[in-house]
Amino acid sequence: MAESVHKNSLDEDNRKFVPDEVFETIEDAAETIEFLMSVYETGEGPLVYPVLRKDGTNMGYVQLVPMAEGYEVGYHIGKEYTKNGYATEAVKAFLNDIMQRKALDKVYGICVSENIASKKVMEKSGFQKIYEGIGEYQGKNREITKYVFCLVRD
């Protein structure tokens, strides 16, 4: 798994939009995977799940990240697999499951405003845009777009 996480993280979009999720070596990816697995024991930190093809190939991930005002969804699909709807499919399936398991009514999605692909994924996944302007993103003030997804319960 570490090799595919490493490889999927190296594309130019990941470097541009989420540089803290680039793993320059397989060892870096393995250390991060080990840390993320420990989060399931402590319950403190991001809950990250791989996105796998039917043949078991790791294409990327979806995650639920705690933030000051609740939770944020995150995702990345490796460049080799983009433009096939996998991110949207993964986010939709993930939100339905994780929100019910965590008893959440809403989840946020935040991206750099120039990340058109990420904005499309959120919009196709049912998120509503609630803000566009300057905001903190990965420790820097940047032009961001913020969305919210609200779960409709029966």
Side-chain angles (χ1 to χ4, degrees):
M1 171 94 42
E3 185 173 342
S4 63
V5 168
H6 158 69
K7 180 182 170 196
N8 287 338
S9 81
L10 297 177
D11 68 63
E12 64 276 3
D13 285 344
N14 215 32
R15 289 185 185 279
K16 182 176 183 178
F17 298 123
V18 282
D20 69 329
E21 295 178 11
V22 174
F23 308 108
E24 297 295 347
T25 67
I26 294 171
E27 292 76 22
D28 290 344
E31 286 177 21
T32 300
I33 291 167
E34 189 174 322
F35 162 73
L36 293 171
M37 289 173 64
S38 75
V39 168
Y40 291 89
E41 295 171 16
T42 65
E44 296 182 22
L47 300 174
V48 182
Y49 298 84
V51 175
L52 306 174
R53 292 175 58 138
K54 288 181 182 176
D55 67 4
T57 302
N58 178 4
M59 297 185 293
Y61 65 85
V62 291
Q63 64 181 341
L64 186 70
V65 182
M67 56 186 279
E69 55 199 287
Y71 287 91
E72 174 187 4
V73 70
Y75 47 87
H76 176 73
I77 300 295
K79 188 75 165 177
E80 181 179 346
Y81 308 103
T82 60
K83 299 184 181 167
N84 291 299
Y86 295 133
T88 302
E89 181 180 354
V91 168
K92 284 180 173 181
F94 178 67
L95 286 174
N96 185 51
D97 182 64
I98 199 74
M99 289 178 76
Q100 289 186 38
R101 284 196 290 137
K102 299 282 287 176
L104 302 174
D105 292 325
K106 65 183 171 185
V107 169
Y108 295 95
I110 304 168
C111 65
V112 174
S113 293
E114 66 181 285
N115 189 343
I116 304 302
S118 191
K119 290 166 71 171
K120 285 182 181 178
V121 167
M122 284 192 253
E123 291 164 4
K124 288 179 181 179
S125 298
F127 282 81
Q128 299 299 313
K129 183 166 54 171
I130 58 173
Y131 175 77
E132 191 156 19
I134 300 298
E136 188 175 327
Y137 186 83
Q138 297 202 344
K140 297 179 183 176
N141 283 332
R142 299 183 71 180
E143 182 78 23
I144 62 167
T145 305
K146 185 173 182 179
Y147 296 84
V148 67
F149 178 89
C150 297
L151 188 62
V152 177
R153 297 190 190 272
D154 297 333

